């Protein structure tokens, strides 16, 4: 058990290191100079060179990488090339915003997907189950940004029920915060719910064919009760895996949805930083996202061990 | 199962709770109620207004950061200048009540208003003005600091009087003092320009939520006419559709710059007003004169004859904008209509291209990722292919990739970008090393005569310079970007022409 956890931890750290090298390398080959963007059209080459020196962009790449990575380990994210402001507080602000979106979307997706998926499985031979299956198939194929655009067209512009976008910190105006949250969270959750529901369905179908369910049925329990009493725990394992994997998709979806709904989260921050060649900011944000995905999948791995006693043996 | 799922959620949920507890309370970006109070735009009110814009400033410090978005917010609202431009382009008093020019036109004496304070409470004195002028030369890093080069010294004559001596007469210097270069800072409150700007203007900086909005509040101690709105929120949208939706769903009251003129149909005149005026943004189709084929004047002329400008404007910018023919907008004193220098004539274009022996030449049109370029690029391509060019287009991400490829390395044949700085003809066509690589032996003499002569001589020489660019086909001028504003019907005082670097918020009101 302990060995398994340590191995997983080792893999986590190695992945983090490898991705930091990749992220840094990508920034190094990105054309365009932050100094040129800051100084704008008409800047002289000398002025650009001076500013690049000031940023340390003329140092050899390994030196720059070392400076960045040691800074990260000290929790020092550096200063933005473009705004000259510390990056850490900016990222913290934006991270909170994205976290709200992603977590609310995940919770909403689960609340919809678990009962819906179970229902689809239990009724997979009936018309209602077929209809639900088809609907979820449609849901899977609608990208979040399209859902967002449609939702805005109907509920914000058409009916005027909800704001078309924007963001208000919950502490400042809870009512407005919730109103502005509904549409973006719905557009993110829609596709997630559809994906998850299909996983729940197949997972539950799998479990329903197991011997212990047949035993439970033989004891006179209805399919649903047998399932709830004996099957759901086992059915949850593949679903939890998918949940971890889906986090990455959610984060990517959030980037797009933030743009559609004008939400100042990590996603829109990332796009802005790339456009302005605010390289350090890009590296920091991407690294944070990568770390988030890796850490979550690490946690999911550990949860396995908790949920499924069969995995605890030293296999 | 649900219990286990709850476990996953609660792991994430815990961190979420901690995040929620210290959620920063940003500025009050409350949008105003859509119903006008009907009190008219007379005196100051307690109301607020929200304006949607597209380009968010990268920082609030225009001394170290270029980019039109920064002065758009600050100039005339937070910072003021000694002299300013009115809507017709005339230079009028600002922080200086009056100014005199010596007979040799090298010495300017400015008399400051006596009753001006900065929003930090400090009184404006001659020392601040002298300091601000010297800072441009010593501390500014962006290229436009060169606009202060003509100044040999600035000195305090009295508490409210400043004398500026130029090394040679310069008409453009006084004009440039109306732009961000002429902004007056408090010498005691200029240490945090990037985050806490302090000026003398009708509005004071309040808060900035990056990626979302900047909030300004009325300066209650303003020396001039106090603005109607107590709070102005500038909200930034990356996406033209989101911007339009925000106005239609009452999230904002004004779209400051319409990015997609063809979408104006969404705004019925029963509910909205559309304002169209001019800007300084000449959409230049640049031709790289430093290499074949555009080092041949006949090939450049073929481009100018081959493009049907009216049709192009109708097709790709909904017919909004003005045809200019050279590098001068109609609000400059030396404007004349030069669209007839090379009128649309496909036969003539083909003939010129044949004479140059360049029919069938492949040229690269490298477009920045900007709305007008993406929209008009394909039209230019098809028009040029009709007269015998072969055109390959590609898109370069703006600003970063475009600046490196086209601007710095001149790795292009044709490109398209709007030059938005006021009176930038000398910048774009006065230096053979500039990315347009326009070189004509008469140009330098004309520009110098314009800058050092009397105002009459200036106008005459600039007219000649503009005509020279058109005659010599230094570039093609597709059109002048329009100033397009859409707003709720009850908003008053919106600027018709956007010819200054700042978006003047002080005149706004609600009827």
């Amino acid at each position: 058990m302990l060995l398994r956890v340590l191995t997983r931890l080792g893999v986590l750290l190695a992945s983090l290191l490898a991705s930091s090298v990749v992220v840094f390398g990508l920034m190094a080959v990105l054309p365009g100079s932050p100094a040129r963007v800051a100084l704008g059209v008409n800047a002289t080459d000398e002025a650009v060179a001076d500013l690049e020196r000031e940023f340390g962009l003329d140092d050899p790449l390994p030196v720059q990488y070392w400076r960045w990575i040691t800074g990260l380990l000290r929790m020092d994210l550096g200063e933005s090339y473009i705004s000259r402001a510390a990056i850490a507080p900016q990222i913290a602000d934006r991270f909170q915003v994205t976290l709200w979106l992603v977590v609310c979307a995940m919770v909403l997706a689960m609340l919809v997907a678990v009962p819906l998926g179970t229902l689809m499985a239990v009724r997979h031979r009936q018309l209602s189950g077929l209809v639900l299956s088809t609907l979820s198939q449609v849901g899977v194929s609608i990208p979040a940004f399209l859902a967002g655009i449609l939702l805005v067209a109907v509920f914000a512009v058409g009916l005027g029920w909800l704001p078309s976008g924007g963001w208000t910190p919950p502490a400042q105006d809870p009512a407005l915060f919730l109103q502005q949250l509904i549409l973006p969270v719905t557009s993110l959750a829609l596709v997630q719910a559809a994906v998850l529901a299909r996983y729940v369905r197949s997972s539950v179908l799998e479990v329903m064919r197991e011997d212990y369910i047949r035993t439970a049925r033989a004891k006179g329990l209805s399919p649903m009760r047998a399932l709830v009493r004996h099957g759901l725990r086992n059915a949850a394992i593949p679903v939890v895996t998918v949940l971890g994997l889906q986090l990455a998709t959610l984060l990517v979806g959030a980037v797009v949805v933030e743009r559609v709904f004008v939400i100042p989260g990590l996603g829109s921050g990332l796009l802005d930083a790339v456009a302005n060649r605010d390289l350090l900011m890009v590296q920091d944000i991407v690294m944070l996202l990568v770390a988030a995905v890796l850490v979550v999948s690490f946690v999911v791995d550990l949860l396995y061990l908790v949920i499924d006693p069969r995995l605890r043996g030293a296999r | 199962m649900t219990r286990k799922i709850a476990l996953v959620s609660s792991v994430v949920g815990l961190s979420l709770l901690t995040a929620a507890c210290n959620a920063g309370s940003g500025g009050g970006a409350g949008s105003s109620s859509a119903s006008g109070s009907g009190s008219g735009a007379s005196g100051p009110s307690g109301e607020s207004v929200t304006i949607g814009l597209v380009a968010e400033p990268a920082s609030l410090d225009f001394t170290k950061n270029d980019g039109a978005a920064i002065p758009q917010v600050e100039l005339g609202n937070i910072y003021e200048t000694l002299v300013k431009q009115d809507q017709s382009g005339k230079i009028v008093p600002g922080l200086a009540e009056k100014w005199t020019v010596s007979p040799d036109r090298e010495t300017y004496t400015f008399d400051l208003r006596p009753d001006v304070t900065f929003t930090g409470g400090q009184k404006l004195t001659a020392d601040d003005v002298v300091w601000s002028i010297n800072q441009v030369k010593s501390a500014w890093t962006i290229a436009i600091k060169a606009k202060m080069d003509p100044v040999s010294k600035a000195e305090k004559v009295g508490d409210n009087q400043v004398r500026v001596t130029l090394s040679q007469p310069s008409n453009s210097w006084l004009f440039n003092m109306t732009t961000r270069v002429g902004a007056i800072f408090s010498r005691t409150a200029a240490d945090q320009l990037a985050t806490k700007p302090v000026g003398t203007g009708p509005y004071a900086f309040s808060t900035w939520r990056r990626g979302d909005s900047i909030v300004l509040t009325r300066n209650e101690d303003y020396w001039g006419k106090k603005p109607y709105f107590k709070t102005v929120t500038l909200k930034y949208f990356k996406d033209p559709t989101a911007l339009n939706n925000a106005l239609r769903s009452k999230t904002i009251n004004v779209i400051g710059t319409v990015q997609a003129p063809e979408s104006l149909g969404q705004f019925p005149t029963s509910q909205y007003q559309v304002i169209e005026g001019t800007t300084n943004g000449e959409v230049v189709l640049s031709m790289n004169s430093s290499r074949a084929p555009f080092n041949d004047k006949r090939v450049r002329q073929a481009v100018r004859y081959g493009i049907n400008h009216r049709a192009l404007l109708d097709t790709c910018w909904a017919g909004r904008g003005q045809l200019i023919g050279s590098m001068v907008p109609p609000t400059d004193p030396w404007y004349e209509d030069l669209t007839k220098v090379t009128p649309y004539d496909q036969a003539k274009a083909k003939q010129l291209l044949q004479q140059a022996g360049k029919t069938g030449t492949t040229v690269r049109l490298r477009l920045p990722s900007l709305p007008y370029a993406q929209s008009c690029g394909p039209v230019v391509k098809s028009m040029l292919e009709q007269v015998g060019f072969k055109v390959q287009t590609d898109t370069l991400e703006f600003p970063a990739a475009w600046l490196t490829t086209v601007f710095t390395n001149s790795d292009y044949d044709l490109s398209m970008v709007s030059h938005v700085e006021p009176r930038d003809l000398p910048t774009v066509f006065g230096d053979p090393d500039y990315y347009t690589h326009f070189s004509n032996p008469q140009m330098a003499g004309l520009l110098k005569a314009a800058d050092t002569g009397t105002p009459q001589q200036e106008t005459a020489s600039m007219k000649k310079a503009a005509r020279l660019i058109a005659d010599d086909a230094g570039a093609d001028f597709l059109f002048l970007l329009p100033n397009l504003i859409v707003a709720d019907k009850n908003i008053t005082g919106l600027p018709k022409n956007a010819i200054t670097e700042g978006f003047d918020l002080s005149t706004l009101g609600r009827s």
Side-chain angles (χ1 to χ4, degrees), chain A residues 4-13 244 291-305:
Chain A
R4 291 179 69 91
V5 173
L6 285 178
T7 321
R8 293 257 189 269
L9 197 62
V11 170
L12 172 70
L13 292 176
V293 171
L294 290 174
V295 168
V296 168
S297 59
F298 171 72
V299 171
V300 168
D301 274 350
L302 293 190
L303 278 175
Y304 265 4
L305 305 179

Side-chain angles (χ1 to χ4, degrees), chain B residues 108-145:
Chain B
Y108 288 74
T109 309
F110 297 94
D111 291 354
L112 308 183
R113 289 180 180 279
D115 51 349
V116 180
T117 51
F118 288 95
T119 49
Q122 319 81 329
K123 195 175 171 334
L124 168 76
T125 66
D127 291 316
D128 295 304
V129 175
V130 170
W131 185 85
S132 299
I133 291 174
N134 290 335
Q135 279 296 99
V136 179
K137 295 170 80 92
S138 61
W140 286 38
T141 57
I142 58 171
I144 58 164
K145 68 182 283 190

Side-chain angles (χ1 to χ4, degrees), chain B residues 52-222:
Chain B
L53 296 167
V54 281
E56 185 181 17
S59 110
L60 294 175
D61 180 1
F62 54 64
T63 73
K64 296 204 164 33
N65 245 299
D66 197 75
I70 314 176
Q72 181 183 44
V73 179
E74 297 184 319
L75 200 67
N77 298 321
I78 297 174
Y79 296 115
E80 293 181 293
T81 47
L82 295 175
V83 287
K84 59 185 190 186
Q85 274 187 87
D86 66 7
Q87 273 280 296
S88 65
K90 208 167 123 252
I91 299 181
V92 296
L95 287 176
E97 286 178 309
K98 61 177 197 297
W99 67 95
T100 53
V101 189
S102 63
D104 65 0
R105 287 182 298 106
E106 286 187 5
T107 309
Y108 288 74
T109 309
F110 297 94
D111 291 354
L112 308 183
R113 289 180 180 279
D115 51 349
V116 180
T117 51
F118 288 95
T119 49
Q122 319 81 329
K123 195 175 171 334
L124 168 76
T125 66
D127 291 316
D128 295 304
V129 175
V130 170
W131 185 85
S132 299
I133 291 174
N134 290 335
Q135 279 296 99
V136 179
K137 295 170 80 92
S138 61
W140 286 38
T141 57
I142 58 171
I144 58 164
K145 68 182 283 190
K147 296 196 189 304
M148 209 51 104
D149 287 351
V151 174
S152 66
K153 66 173 186 291
E155 55 202 327
K156 171 180 174 174
V157 186
D159 271 356
N160 287 324
Q161 206 175 50
V162 174
R163 187 160 56 220
V164 178
T165 312
L166 308 184
S167 48
Q168 59 174 22
S170 170
N171 293 311
S172 61
W173 176 77
L174 187 68
F175 175 81
N176 289 333
M177 289 299 282
T178 69
T179 69
R180 60 193 129 152
V181 176
I184 302 301
F185 299 89
S186 160
R187 67 190 191 289
T188 53
D191 47 350
Q192 288 179 295
L193 295 181
T195 48
K196 293 195 176 63
V198 174
T200 57
Y203 281 98
F205 170 74
S206 170
T207 52
W208 178 16
R209 191 165 335 117
R210 277 175 211 277
D212 181 59
S213 58
I214 291 177
V215 180
L216 306 178
T217 47
R218 185 170 52 218
N219 171 6
E220 300 297 353
D221 303 323
Y222 184 54

Side-chain angles (χ1 to χ4, degrees), chain A residues 44 71 89 97-98 151 187 222 232 240 249 272 301:
Chain A
T44 59
V97 173
T98 302
L151 287 171
S187 25
S222 71
L232 278 188
V240 169
T249 354
D272 288 354
D301 274 350

Side-chain angles (χ1 to χ4, degrees), chain B residues 469-484:
Chain B
I469 295 167
D471 286 338
D472 211 3
D476 185 38
F477 300 88
L478 298 175
F479 57 97
L480 183 77
L481 278 177
N483 177 44
L484 273 179

